[in-house]
Amino acid sequence: MRRQIPLYIVLVCGIVFVIQFFIPSHESEFIFEYGQDWVMVIGILALPLGIWSYLRKTWLTAVKKPKERFFAGVSLFGFAIMMLTGLKRESLMAGSLYMELFEYVLIPIQATIFSLLAFYIASAAYRAFRARSVIATMLLGTAFIVMLRLIPLGPISDVNQALVGWILSVPNMAAKRGLLIGIGLGAIATCIKIILGIERTYLGRD
Amino acid sequence: MRKDLVWLFAGILFFGLLYLLNWGVKAISTDLLVWIGAFLTLAILSFLYQDNAFYKFAEHLFVGVSAAYWMCMGFWNTLVPNLIAKLHPPIVKGVLPAIAEKPPEYWYIIPAALGIMFLMRLSPKAPWISRWALAFIVGTTTGLNLVRYLRSDFLGQIKSTLIPVIVVENGSLSVGGSFSNIVIVVGVLCGLIYFFFSKEHKGLFGVASRVGIYILMITFGASFGYTVMARISLLVGRMRFLLGDWMGLLQ
C-alpha cells in the first residue's frame, strides 16, 4: 500500500492531465487551471520542510561544531531578522525594511557571487579552450566574436554586430534545435516511464 | 578567540568607524544600508584572495536571509491568495480586499490536505504518507510536461526546421537567405547525427557527424561568450554600486 497508492495517483493524474489537452472543454480547462494551482499550493506548503531542515542542520552545526558556531549564529540571525521584517503583507511594498534588506543584503551578495564567476570562468577557459584543435579554435573564435558584441560600450562595429546576429540566428539556432529535439524525445520517454510506474525513484526508499 | 574571527570583528569595526567618520569624502553615502551592501560586496570579493572569515560571514548571512525571504514571499504571494483566500475569503479582507468579496472555493481543501500530508515526512511513524502529495505533484507535472515537450520541444522544432532551402525575395534568388536556411537544415540534421550512436560514425555518416560537432562548438562558443559577458555585466554593476552609490565617485 505504501508504494502502490502513490503509483496509482501518478498514473491517474498523468493520464488525466494528458487527456485534458486533447479534449478541449470547460471541464478540461477547470482541470488544467486547478491542477496547476494545486501543484503550486502543495509546493509552497512543502517549503516549511526545507526551512525545518535548514534550521535543524544549522542548529546542530552550532551545537556540535564549536568552530562553526559563530557562522551558524550569523545564518540564524539573518533568518530571524528577515522573518520578523516580513511578517506583515505591507513588508512586500517598496521601501519597507524587508525589501531594503533584500536590496542591500541579498542582492549585493548574490550579484557579487555570480560576478566572481567572471574571474574563474576566464581562468578555466584559458586552461580548457586553448586553440589546440579545429573544434577548440571554433569554440574560442565564436566566443571571442560574441564577447566583442556584448562589451558594455556596445558592439565594436556593424560587421561584428551583423556577424553575431547571424551566428545566433543560424548555426546556433540549428544546433539548439537539434539539442531540443533530443531533449524533447528524452523528456517524453521519461514522462511515459513515470506515468506507467517504470521509473519510480522519486518514491525513495522505505 | 580564533584569529579569523578577530580579523572579521576588526574589519567590521573598521568599516563601522569609517561610516561614523564619513571617511572625509564629501560624496560618500551616509545611508547605513548602502554601507552594509558595500561591506558585503567587498566581503564576497575577498574570496578572490582566498577563503576567509569575511566571505564565510557573507555566505552564511546569505543562506539565512534568502531562506526567510523565500518563505515570506511564498506565504504572502502564493499561500495567502491561492489557498487561504480561496478557502475563507473574509480572512484576507485587510490584505487582499478584491479577493475577499469572492465566494469560497472548497475544492482547495484537497491541496491543503495534500500539503499537510507532505509535512508528515517529519513524522517518525508515518513519513510514507508524504508520498501521496509527492505523487500528485509528480503525476500532474508529468502529464502537463508530456504534452508541452511533445508540442514545443519535439514537433515545434521539427516544424521550424522544415523550411525551403531556396529562398526567393522580390522575384529573385536570395543567396544569403538560401545559405542560412541550408545551414539550419543541414546543421539540425548533422547535430542529430552526432548524437546518434546506434551506427558507427564512419564514411558519409562520419562526415555528417563531424559537421554536427562543428555546429555544436559554435553554439557552445556563443553560449560561453554570453555567460562570460553576463558575469562581466554583473561585475560592472557591483563596481558601479561601490564607486557610485557608495563612494559617490561616479556621476
Side-chain angles (χ1 to χ4, degrees):
Chain A
M1 191 179 95
R2 290 181 181 188
R3 296 182 79 85
Q4 286 304 312
I5 290 177
L7 288 175
Y8 286 128
I9 294 174
V10 169
L11 180 71
V12 172
C13 289
I15 290 172
V16 165
F17 280 91
V18 170
I19 287 175
Q20 62 81 28
F21 173 79
F22 293 101
I23 309 170
S25 63
H26 284 300
E27 288 76 17
S28 300
E29 218 169 279
F30 174 85
I31 289 170
F32 179 74
E33 281 178 16
Y34 275 69
Q36 279 193 321
D37 246 21
W38 290 6
V39 166
M40 202 160 61
V41 168
I42 299 167
I44 288 296
L45 283 171
L47 204 59
L49 271 182
I51 297 294
W52 167 254
S53 172
Y54 153 73
L55 288 174
R56 192 167 170 272
K57 171 84 177 60
T58 313
W59 180 255
L60 287 177
T61 304
V63 172
K64 289 182 181 173
K65 295 179 181 171
K67 279 190 174 180
E68 297 294 317
R69 190 167 291 160
F70 173 76
F71 295 110
V74 168
S75 187
L76 292 173
F77 172 77
F79 179 82
I81 291 288
M82 205 62 177
M83 277 299 272
L84 287 173
T85 55
L87 281 179
K88 286 185 176 176
R89 169 84 184 170
E90 294 80 52
S91 311
L92 271 62
M93 307 293 169
S96 66
L97 184 58
Y98 176 77
M99 293 311 288
E100 295 277 288
L101 287 174
F102 170 72
E103 198 174 331
Y104 291 106
V105 175
L106 215 58
I107 294 282
I109 298 177
Q110 193 171 328
T112 317
I113 286 175
F114 279 113
S115 71
L116 277 186
L117 285 178
F119 296 96
Y120 292 109
I121 215 167
S123 72
Y126 173 74
R127 275 172 279 161
F129 304 142
R130 268 180 291 177
R132 283 180 295 198
S133 62
V134 179
I135 53 173
T137 313
M138 285 180 82
L139 192 147
L140 199 64
T142 314
F144 186 67
I145 293 166
V146 171
M147 282 195 277
L148 282 181
R149 160 70 184 80
L150 296 171
I151 53 173
L153 295 171
I156 54 161
S157 72
D158 291 343
V159 176
N160 175 246
Q161 180 145 7
L163 185 60
V164 171
W166 186 82
I167 287 172
L168 292 179
S169 60
V170 181
N172 174 59
M173 178 72 78
K176 278 198 172 155
R177 275 194 191 146
L179 290 172
L180 282 173
I181 291 169
I183 291 168
L185 276 172
I188 292 163
T190 309
C191 287
I192 293 171
K193 279 167 75 180
I194 291 172
I195 291 173
L196 296 178
I198 300 164
E199 167 64 54
R200 51 179 80 174
T201 44
Y202 62 89
L203 289 175
R205 290 183 209 154
D206 276 322
Chain B
M1 192 183 242
R2 278 163 49 201
K3 202 175 165 185
D4 58 342
L5 289 187
V6 172
W7 276 107
L8 177 64
F9 289 132
I12 292 172
L13 195 68
F14 177 68
F15 228 72
L17 276 173
L18 285 181
Y19 170 67
L20 292 174
L21 299 171
N22 222 358
W23 205 359
V25 182
K26 277 184 185 170
I28 203 162
S29 173
T30 51
D31 187 344
L32 179 64
L33 284 166
V34 172
W35 276 76
I36 291 173
F39 173 76
L40 293 170
T41 302
L42 292 172
I44 294 289
L45 284 175
S46 70
F47 188 75
L48 288 171
Y49 171 61
Q50 65 176 38
D51 196 4
N52 60 72
F54 290 97
Y55 178 79
K56 281 179 87 175
F57 175 84
E59 189 188 29
H60 282 79
L61 188 67
F62 177 74
V63 172
V65 168
S66 62
Y69 173 79
W70 289 113
M71 184 75 204
C72 294
M73 276 290 176
F75 180 77
W76 288 115
N77 284 345
T78 307
L79 209 60
V80 170
N82 291 326
L83 182 69
I84 298 170
K86 296 276 171 73
L87 285 174
H88 190 59
I91 209 169
V92 296
K93 202 174 180 180
V95 286
L96 295 166
I99 302 176
E101 304 299 323
K102 291 183 177 176
E105 294 180 58
Y106 294 113
W107 285 105
Y108 280 82
I109 289 174
I110 300 170
L114 287 168
I116 292 164
M117 280 181 185
F118 226 137
L119 298 178
M120 291 296 284
R121 205 173 189 85
L122 298 174
S123 151
K125 286 185 180 172
W128 52 271
I129 291 179
S130 68
R131 282 183 192 153
W132 294 14
L134 185 67
F136 179 82
I137 293 179
V138 171
T140 307
T141 41
T142 307
L144 291 171
N145 282 335
L146 177 60
V147 179
R148 190 172 64 82
Y149 280 120
L150 193 64
R151 287 181 74 196
S152 56
D153 277 17
F154 186 61
L155 297 175
Q157 298 305 323
I158 292 174
K159 194 181 162 191
S160 306
T161 309
L162 299 175
I163 46 174
V165 289
I166 304 291
V167 180
V168 179
E169 276 177 3
N170 301 326
S172 58
L173 176 75
S174 165
V175 177
S178 302
F179 177 70
S180 295
N181 283 8
I182 290 169
V183 172
I184 287 181
V185 174
V186 172
V188 172
L189 287 174
C190 294
L192 286 172
I193 286 171
Y194 175 72
F195 287 110
F196 188 77
F197 300 113
S198 300
K199 185 173 163 33
E200 201 176 347
H201 290 188
K202 268 178 160 181
L204 189 63
F205 201 75
V207 173
S209 160
R210 195 80 189 150
V211 174
I213 198 168
Y214 289 152
I215 296 280
L216 283 167
M217 281 301 148
I218 291 174
T219 301
F220 295 150
S223 301
F224 175 76
Y226 254 97
T227 310
V228 171
M229 291 317 285
R231 305 297 184 225
I232 296 279
S233 296
L234 279 171
L235 189 64
V236 169
R238 294 328 299 158
M239 289 303 134
R240 284 183 69 89
F241 172 76
L242 287 177
L243 298 174
D245 295 4
W246 179 44
M247 296 183 75
L249 297 174
L250 299 176
Q251 291 301 315

